Amino acid sequence: MEVDILLGLQWGDEGKGKIVDFLAPKYNVVARFQGGPNAGHTLEFEGIKHVLHQIPSGIFRKGIANVIGNGVVLDPVIFRQEIKELEKLKLNPKENLFISKKAQLILPTHRLLDAANEKAKGERKIGSTLKGIGPTYQDKVGRRGIRVGDILSSGFVGRYEELRDMHCELLDYLKFKYDLIKDEKLFHSAIKYLKEFRLIDSEYFINNKLQDNNSILAEGAQGSLLDIDFGSYPFVTSSNTMAAAACTGLGIPPSSVGEVYGIFKAYCTRVGSGPFPTELHSELGEKLREVGHEFGATTGRPRRTGWLDLPALKYSVMINGVTQLFMMKADILGYFDEIKVCTEYRLANGEITERLSYEMQSQDVQPVYKTFESWSVFDSIPSTLDELPYQLKKYIRFIEESVGVPITLVSIGPDRTETVS
Ligand code: GDP
Ligand code: IMO
Ligand code: MG
């Protein structure tokens, strides 16, 4: 069997949680391969709305193994809170959740460093989620990070204190005031709790599952335009968010990858700083935020909103090798009279391009738009893609032809059932 990958093609919050939950019954394993509690993946079904941060979105489906892979950075305190919320819903994740011993641990001082770095940047801040993601990946690459498996060794507390002391020196250098006592206490009790879970060599687990003919869905976090290499650097997250990261974040060979599902909103949103060529600074943007409930699932921050950006979508499809596109939140555009899509950019020197070139990031680019007629608000759920309103089908066809990949799923509401495929 193969590993199918589902990932966001924009700046995150495309609706990955909803669709992983929707697809999960077709799979034996759902695995997260990068990111950490900066993610907020929302699921809605049977009147329940639930936001997951580190736990894979297959957790609500019976008979599925959920894996937190080696590429993830794990905050044990947030992890315990997430588990407690799931237990309230009568789930028992101790049975079907498996955590890689090679996943990196987020320490309380990583979170403090995240805040201190942002403060030091002032106006140029990234707009990080302040979950300690950047500093934790920095320690991973700096080869001094502490991993989940280390909590089982007798030297753990010593290693922790050594890294903490180094962080404290950095915090003092940055003149950042903090009080660690309460957070450290919570951290150590959460570490004790984490030991009650199945901590595994997840690369063996996943490859053995593959050999035994199990199907695996890899769940991306963030989005391709936040990728550390290909996103709008430095306004990005600190991991590779692209399809290739599923291989390094789970320990699977590229030859095992099957479908690459690329998920995008019918428009665009972004939280945090950085370029956003189609951003609407007008009342239309405000309306998109209100009607689309565009407020962050992790931080509650209002999301910036704008029209669909086709050059950016094509770029994401290119670097990921997307085989199928899923379009989300098509219902929201039904509240508008007409809608726009950016087909190209006009550069400051008048040149028209659809490339997201290196130089472009520092230039003021103007989107070139094509206008479409909108569709009416849905009063029932169509049972096939063919039954969608003709204006929406025209919009879909235009995107498919521009990007060269079929749209095989359209989402028209937050609930599991509001999905047309
Ligand atoms: P993720 O991070 O990619 O999982 O996405 P988020 O959960 O952060 O944000 C997506 C938001 O849109 C959530 O509040 C979902 O419940 C909601 N949502 C997902 N699909 C649809 C849809 O088709 N229509 C509407 N109206 N809301 C949706
Ligand atoms: P999901 O998985 C949207 C953004 C932050 C900030 C930048 C860096 O829910 O789609 P970080 O905390 O990673 O150092 O922040 O990345 N960001 C996200 N935006 N959805 C996410 O995750 C995000 N995770 C990080 O807002 O701009
Ligand atoms: Mg989200």
Side-chain angles (χ1 to χ4, degrees), residues 139-373:
D139 279 344
K140 173 181 180 174
V141 178
R143 298 168 293 189
R144 54 182 172 260
I146 302 181
R147 304 193 287 181
V148 166
D150 297 338
I151 69 174
L152 304 172
S153 86
S154 57
F156 171 71
V157 174
R159 296 242 352 250
Y160 165 79
E161 286 175 352
E162 200 181 318
L163 190 55
R164 177 204 59 193
D165 290 348
M166 195 194 105
H167 290 163
C168 288
E169 280 181 33
L170 278 170
L171 289 164
D172 292 343
Y173 171 78
L174 290 165
K175 298 191 173 51
F176 192 80
K177 296 263 175 293
Y178 58 91
D179 177 6
L180 254 180
I181 296 170
K182 196 169 147 239
D183 285 348
E184 271 199 319
K185 221 172 138 201
L186 273 175
F187 176 77
H188 286 297
S189 66
I191 289 289
K192 204 166 149 221
Y193 182 71
L194 187 58
K195 287 184 190 164
E196 296 172 23
F197 283 78
R198 298 177 184 214
L199 312 181
I200 61 165
D201 288 318
S202 58
E203 61 278 32
Y204 278 109
F205 181 89
I206 294 210
N207 281 289
N208 288 342
K209 289 277 183 197
L210 275 174
Q211 268 167 14
D212 294 344
N213 242 358
N214 287 285
S215 55
I216 296 172
L217 179 62
E219 172 180 0
Q222 290 77 57
S224 300
L225 303 176
L226 290 172
D227 183 274
I228 183 76
D229 283 287
F230 298 104
S232 42
Y233 191 89
F235 302 103
V236 292
T237 191
S238 294
S239 65
N240 280 113
T241 57
M242 58 196 297
C247 294
T248 55
L250 294 174
I252 50 157
S255 57
S256 68
V257 175
E259 297 288 335
V260 179
Y261 305 123
I263 177 165
F264 70 104
K265 277 181 193 162
Y267 50 94
C268 280
T269 63
R270 175 168 200 164
V271 244
S273 325
F276 183 175
T278 62
E279 182 168 10
L280 289 165
H281 297 282
S282 57
E283 276 178 19
L284 269 180
E286 189 60 41
K287 182 174 169 187
L288 208 41
R289 178 158 44 250
E290 290 305 321
V291 181
H293 302 293
E294 295 297 353
F295 297 89
T298 295
T299 57
R301 291 179 291 177
R303 294 176 182 148
R304 300 157 64 194
T305 54
W307 298 121
L308 183 65
D309 183 334
L310 272 185
L313 190 66
K314 285 185 195 176
Y315 183 78
S316 295
V317 165
M318 173 182 81
I319 62 171
N320 289 304
V322 171
T323 58
Q324 295 185 43
L325 284 168
F326 298 164
M327 186 164 94
M328 309 300 288
K329 299 193 111 165
D331 52 316
I332 301 303
L333 293 185
Y335 291 91
F336 291 77
D337 296 330
E338 56 171 35
I339 54 183
K340 290 188 179 175
V341 174
C342 164
T343 52
E344 289 163 313
Y345 306 127
R346 181 176 289 111
L347 304 182
N349 64 6
E351 188 193 326
I352 301 281
T353 181
E354 55 168 19
R355 281 174 76 94
L356 277 72
S357 64
Y358 178 84
E359 289 76 18
M360 205 187 90
Q361 295 177 18
S362 56
Q363 286 184 13
D364 195 14
V365 298
Q366 292 301 323
V368 177
Y369 285 118
K370 182 173 165 63
T371 303
F372 286 80
E373 194 187 338

Side-chain angles (χ1 to χ4, degrees), residues 13 16 39-41 297 303:
D13 303 328
K16 297 174 291 290
H41 294 182
R303 294 176 182 148

